Each structure stands twice: as C-alpha cells, then as structure tokens.
Amino acid sequence: MRITLLAGGVGGARFLRGLLAAAPDAEITVIGNTGDDITLFGLHVSPDLDTVMYTLGGGISEDQGWGRDDETFAVQSELTAYGAGPAWFSLGDRDFATHIARTSLLTAGMPLSAATARLCERWRPGVRLLPMTDDDVQTHVLIADEGGRREIHFQEWWVRLHAKVPALGFTFAGADLSAPAPGVLTAIAEADFVLLPPSNPVVSIGVILAVPGIAKAVAAKTVVGVSPVIGGAPVRGMADACLTAIGVQTSAAAVAAHYGSDLLDGWLVDTKDAAAATAPELAGIAVRAVPLYMHAIPATTAMAKAAIELATELSR
Amino acid sequence: MRITLLAGGVGGARFLRGLLAAAPDAEITVIGNTGDDITLFGLHVSPDLDTVMYTLGGGISEDQGWGRDDETFAVQSELTAYGAGPAWFSLGDRDFATHIARTSLLTAGMPLSAATARLCERWRPGVRLLPMTDDDVQTHVLIADEGGRREIHFQEWWVRLHAKVPALGFTFAGADLSAPAPGVLTAIAEADFVLLPPSNPVVSIGVILAVPGIAKAVAAKTVVGVSPVIGGAPVRGMADACLTAIGVQTSAAAVAAHYGSDLLDGWLVDTKDAAAATAPELAGIAVRAVPLYMHAIPATTAMAKAAIELATELSR
C-alpha cells in the first residue's frame, strides 16, 4: 500500500505514529510544510520537517511535542549575551545541531529535499519525508497593531505574539513562483490514496496546497482528511485563530467545506461532531465519526485505521 | 601611549594580559592572525581572534588556553550523530554560539572587522581587536604522506595531525590579493611602537606580515619582539615544526635573525638565551635578556614592562 500525506508539525507527526502502527508495511511519503521555515541566527530552521523527523525518529521532546528531548540551552544563552536575536524563538543545543547541519548542506549547494534526506539518514523515520518545495515560500501574517498594518513572518505571529494579535489574512510569499520538490508529484500520483492528517488547514495543509501543481495532483486522488477541530475547538495549537482570519468557522464541518468536495472524498470527524455527516455543505464528502483524540498511540492507531478503511472503501 | 601588536592566539593573548597590567592607560590595538580561520559546519571560526577575545574578556578556558570556560558538547555530539564532519576539531556549545553569531553577521554582509567589533562589544577585551584583513587568507601546509604530496589547511595539520607529519612549507593562500583590514595601517602608523608578542613567528606573525602593506608599515616603526623560543624549544605550541619547515633553527637568535634587523629594533630573550645578545647575526637588533616564562600574570606583566621599556628607549 502506498500512502501519501500532506503534513504540518505536531498534529501530523502524531498521526503518523498511529499510521505507522496501523500500516507497518505501507510505503508512506510525507510532504511537509516549509512555509513556517525561518532563518534564525543565519541558520535555516524547518520546524515542521524537524517535528516529523524527531517524532518518528525517537528524538522528540514528548512533553512539548516539538524540539529535542533532553535539551540544554548553552548556545542560545550565549547568543543572547551577544545581543543576537531573536530571543522569542527558543532553540536548544541539540536542535541547533540540526539547523547547523542543514544550513551547512544548503550552503554547500544542496536543495532542501536532499538535505532533508541526509538528516533522515540518521533518524530513519520510517517514512519518506519530502519538503513541499525546494524554493523559498514563507507564510506571512497580515496584522494591525500599534506598529501599524503590516505583514510579519508566521513564526513571529505564532511564537512571539502567541497568535493573540488577530490575523487579518495570510500570504504564502513566493508560493506562486515555487515548484513542488522532486518526488512530490510522483508520490501523490502513485499513492493509493492521500491523507490529510489533523494539521492546521490554513498554515500547514493550506500552504502545501498553494505550491503550484500540488492541489491539482491531490484532487485527482482519493483523499481522506482528519478533522483538526473537535466540538468547535482545535485539538491543539491555535488553528481557530487561522480559520477566523480566512472567514472559516472553527467546526469540523466548516473545515471540510473549506477544503471542498473537489479535493476531499472522505472526512473523519470526532464522535462529538457526528452531526457533520448530514451537513448539507458536505454533500459529496463521505463523513465518518470516530474518536479523534490522539492522547496515546493505540487511540491514534485506531484513528489511522479508520482513515485507511475509509480511503480504501472510497478508492474502490 | 599607543601600542600596536601583531598577535596569534594563546601566546599573544597571555602576553596581552601582562601588557594590560603593565600599561593600563595605553591605547592598545591588536592585529590578529586570521590565516588559521576555517569554515567548520558552515560556520566561520576565527581561533586566534577568539582566543584573544575570550582571554581578555574573561571567558577563556584557563586550562586549555583556548576555547570557552565551562564548556558542554551537545552540539558537536549531535553533529557527529549526523555524520557531519570534521570530528577532529572540537567545538563546545558556548564556542559554537560565537561562530554562529559571527557567521550570521558575515552572511548579512558585514566584513570580519565589523563582526569582530560587534562580538567584542560583549567581551570588552580592553584592546581594539582588528583582524589583519577582511579578505580570505588561508594558511596551507605542504605535506607528503601516504595521501601524496599535497597542501592541507593549517588546522588540519595542527589539530588533526598534531603537526607530526613534517611540514615542507607554508602557503598563505590569498595573501597576495588581500588588503589590511580598515584601521590596521593607521594603528601601526600612529603607534608609539609595535610589539611582537611570543606568537608563532611563521604561522601567526608571519602570515600577518604577508598581508601587503603591513610589513612595510611595521618596519617603519620601532619594533620590539618577544622570543617564543626559550633554550631551543618553543614555550608552547609546536613552533619548532613551523620553523624547521622554513629552514630556521629553533633558537631565540635564529627567530630574531629570521625577522631581520629591517623589521626588528629590539628583541627580548629569556635569561637562558642571554648569549644571543652577542650573536653576530643579530647586529642592529638590541637584545635584552629577561625571564620569559608566562606562568602567571605578575611574570607576564614584568615581561611586558621590559618590552615597553626597551621599545621606549629605542624610540628616543
């Protein structure tokens, strides 16, 4: 079985743990969001790729859901002593090594996809991890505060401002000129089906779909998504702040309607949201209600099994 | 009083501690060797500048004489896990922060001299620290071993091979096309005198003098050097391996003769080497014998005082 996913960070990585348990023999390709990538201290940081890599490779901080386990903070503390910014993005020493290794490969002329493959040689995540693109695409957030109306980098909004300043909109800067990374379109075309894990529909899955060619390739396949919203609230993260900005209600049904029936064939909602199955705006999308909390691997495995079953049924 | 020094790493830095104690009101400019600079893991490492900065700024590892105090090694251990090389150059986490900060400034377009000034804003070394050049000059070592006759980077010879493979010669790659960093020639011209601390005469002082314009500017001044050789052996480091390669005996007199009376006006030797005062090859160089071991700051201060006294006498 060949499964391809579009994935963000924590939600995608946790779902993938369940998927690997549910389908140990499947060939899984993960197309990761790089719109959150940011240059910090001159180093290329790819938060979502790293979260997937660390989670599946056994190096994640389980408490946080992102970053490395057993971290120390000598490097950042020294950088602060040098007045080198920003201070609002916390990077541990072990995590720094990943960014140093990646940046060194990129500086040597390697595209991000090849650098990611090199890093994965160590972590052996059990999936093929591809960045959505080797080009520079940056998720920017339009805000208005005492500094005026302006666009800031997604990480500044998400991490420094905790998404508390309302987003007026998102721009995926550079997306229109970007191309899918090598292997991305083939992994979609050759998959038995495509899964959308419970990642942020706007700034994770949305930005991946904004890379020219990806949305069309995905729409041509059987696609099953997993709702990142349960009972009107995001399971984790601040997806509601993103949905509100683009005029989408924070509900399982509204997110599916936002993706649309051209893209989605099936949609898993939590049992709390079973009513979505009969929502008129989801005509053409097969909705199934199952428990969606990923509190432990057995629960996540059951979710992944339900996604595989629905996708298999819909592919027939 | 204005004093300008050409300095390498540990020997220069230790002498500077004594000089700051001996002449607390002097304006001291240090022109540092950057021929040992190396790109490791994509980061610009300036070992000699950092040794001066850390030593005078209170951040040096006193045991080693180079690198940071209280080091940890999380970053390098992770880089090794990624298979990112080289493993033979040990960099601690705190030291990494310096290289990250420097590289980030260089990548942003700052010349090395400005980046060095920025890093020194934190360390406040009490001297003005200038790299010899903002251009890329690399000390290469010609060796012949099982890998054939070839040039390797100075650090590979010094650190990986511990200078045990005989050097057949040195090349200061890029030196002929380099220019002194901003402020270097002025600091020499405006100094009351120039001191050469007991740094390596070949790969520290020698490479600085190879930057076009510096040797001529120095020769025009009163110059007093401090022998890095005591009783036929280098005080520390492996200067003998460098001297042998260029056909200079490892003796206090031979090093002074190598610099020559066109450059040197005065030469401090250890009391063990007092006979150098009458060596015919040192005609035209005022030789004075004083204790030269820098085992503690009072001894080093006395050495620096002797150098100042000799230079002051010779300037009259």
Side-chain angles (χ1 to χ4, degrees):
Chain A
M1 189 157 50
R2 287 183 181 155
I3 308 174
T4 294
L5 291 89
L6 314 188
V10 185
R14 291 200 170 154
F15 181 78
L16 277 160
R17 271 191 176 159
L19 188 65
L20 281 161
D25 298 327
E27 280 176 41
I28 301 172
T29 299
V30 177
I31 299 166
N33 168 36
T34 60
D36 297 6
D37 285 19
I38 186 167
T39 300
L40 294 169
F41 312 105
L43 301 173
H44 186 106
V45 180
S46 296
D48 282 2
L49 298 179
D50 287 350
T51 296
V52 171
M53 191 171 77
Y54 294 160
T55 301
L56 302 185
I60 198 78
S61 162
E62 295 288 347
D63 291 345
Q64 292 181 144
W66 50 269
R68 288 296 314 279
D69 50 343
D70 294 327
E71 267 295 20
T72 50
F73 293 86
V75 174
Q76 184 140 20
S77 151
E78 287 294 315
L79 286 166
T80 302
Y82 279 117
W88 49 264
F89 202 99
S90 167
L91 292 174
D93 296 331
R94 295 175 136 203
D95 203 21
F96 257 112
T98 301
H99 312 316
I100 292 169
R102 174 189 294 113
T103 305
S104 165
L105 296 170
L106 296 175
T107 305
M110 212 178 254
L112 182 62
S113 50
T116 304
R118 177 72 69 86
L119 299 177
C120 283
E121 285 175 16
R122 170 186 177 191
W123 291 105
R124 302 179 180 278
V127 302
R128 188 161 57 125
L129 178 61
L130 302 176
M132 63 189 199
T133 179
D134 280 333
D135 301 320
D136 186 25
V137 174
Q138 288 188 9
T139 302
H140 290 170
V141 186
L142 180 64
I143 63 164
D145 63 5
E146 65 282 359
R149 188 180 166 92
R150 65 194 201 281
E151 280 194 359
I152 59 176
H153 191 285
F154 172 75
Q155 296 292 357
E156 189 177 352
W157 181 67
W158 192 255
V159 178
R160 185 170 79 81
L161 302 176
H162 306 288
K164 293 219 170 109
V165 174
L168 307 176
F170 296 95
T171 316
F172 306 135
D176 52 342
L177 297 171
S178 71
V184 163
L185 294 182
T186 308
I188 296 167
E190 296 183 349
D192 292 305
F193 49 83
V194 173
L195 297 182
L196 307 183
S199 292
N200 189 309
V202 186
V203 295
S204 294
I205 311 273
V207 64
I208 301 174
L209 291 169
V211 175
I214 293 186
K216 193 180 163 201
V218 170
K221 308 295 297 186
T222 298
V223 179
V224 168
V226 180
S227 176
V229 174
I230 299 182
V235 180
R236 73 175 306 286
M238 303 167 278
D240 45 343
C242 300
L243 290 166
T244 303
I246 61 163
V248 174
Q249 259 200 311
T250 303
S251 78
V255 172
H258 166 65
Y259 282 135
S261 60
D262 284 352
L263 188 86
L264 272 190
D265 300 289
W267 187 238
L268 289 189
V269 299
D270 188 71
T271 45
K272 277 187 192 163
D273 298 309
T278 55
E281 68 270 31
L282 302 194
I285 301 175
V287 177
R288 187 161 296 174
V290 295
L292 285 194
Y293 284 106
M294 299 192 285
H295 41 72
I297 293 186
T300 310
T301 307
M303 266 173 68
K305 275 191 180 150
I308 292 172
E309 279 166 21
L310 181 54
T312 305
E313 283 173 38
L314 294 170
S315 316
R316 276 189 199 122
Chain B
M1 191 158 45
R2 287 182 182 159
I3 309 174
T4 294
L5 291 89
L6 315 188
V10 184
R14 290 200 171 153
F15 180 78
L16 278 160
R17 271 190 176 159
L19 188 65
L20 282 161
D25 298 326
E27 280 177 40
I28 300 171
T29 300
V30 178
I31 299 167
N33 168 36
T34 59
D36 299 5
D37 285 19
I38 187 168
T39 301
L40 294 169
F41 313 104
L43 301 173
H44 186 107
V45 180
S46 295
D48 282 2
L49 298 179
D50 287 350
T51 296
V52 171
M53 191 171 76
Y54 294 160
T55 301
L56 303 184
I60 199 79
S61 162
E62 294 289 347
D63 292 346
Q64 293 181 145
W66 49 270
R68 288 295 314 279
D69 51 341
D70 296 326
E71 268 295 18
T72 50
F73 293 86
V75 174
Q76 184 140 19
S77 152
E78 287 294 314
L79 286 166
T80 302
Y82 279 118
W88 49 264
F89 202 100
S90 167
L91 292 175
D93 296 331
R94 296 175 134 202
D95 203 21
F96 257 111
T98 301
H99 313 315
I100 292 169
R102 174 189 295 114
T103 305
S104 164
L105 296 170
L106 296 175
T107 305
M110 213 179 252
L112 182 61
S113 52
T116 304
R118 177 74 69 85
L119 297 177
C120 283
E121 284 174 18
R122 169 187 177 191
W123 291 104
R124 303 180 181 277
V127 301
R128 187 162 58 125
L129 179 60
L130 302 176
M132 63 189 199
T133 180
D134 280 333
D135 300 320
D136 186 26
V137 175
Q138 288 188 8
T139 301
H140 290 170
V141 187
L142 179 63
I143 63 164
D145 63 5
E146 66 281 358
R149 188 180 167 94
R150 65 195 201 283
E151 281 194 358
I152 59 176
H153 192 284
F154 173 75
Q155 296 294 357
E156 188 176 351
W157 181 67
W158 192 255
V159 178
R160 185 170 78 82
L161 302 176
H162 306 288
K164 292 217 169 109
V165 174
L168 307 176
F170 296 94
T171 315
F172 305 135
D176 52 341
L177 297 171
S178 72
V184 163
L185 294 181
T186 308
I188 296 167
E190 295 183 350
D192 292 304
F193 49 83
V194 173
L195 298 182
L196 308 184
S199 292
N200 189 307
V202 186
V203 295
S204 294
I205 312 274
V207 63
I208 301 173
L209 292 170
V211 175
I214 293 186
K216 193 179 164 201
V218 170
K221 306 297 295 186
T222 298
V223 179
V224 167
V226 180
S227 176
V229 173
I230 299 181
V235 180
R236 70 174 310 283
M238 302 167 278
D240 45 343
C242 300
L243 290 165
T244 303
I246 62 162
V248 174
Q249 259 201 310
T250 302
S251 78
V255 172
H258 166 64
Y259 282 134
S261 60
D262 283 354
L263 188 87
L264 270 190
D265 300 290
W267 187 238
L268 289 190
V269 300
D270 188 71
T271 45
K272 278 186 193 165
D273 299 309
T278 55
E281 68 270 31
L282 301 194
I285 301 174
V287 177
R288 188 160 295 173
V290 295
L292 286 194
Y293 285 106
M294 298 191 285
H295 42 73
I297 293 185
T300 311
T301 306
M303 267 172 67
K305 274 191 180 149
I308 293 171
E309 279 166 22
L310 182 54
T312 305
E313 284 173 38
L314 294 170
S315 317
R316 275 191 199 122

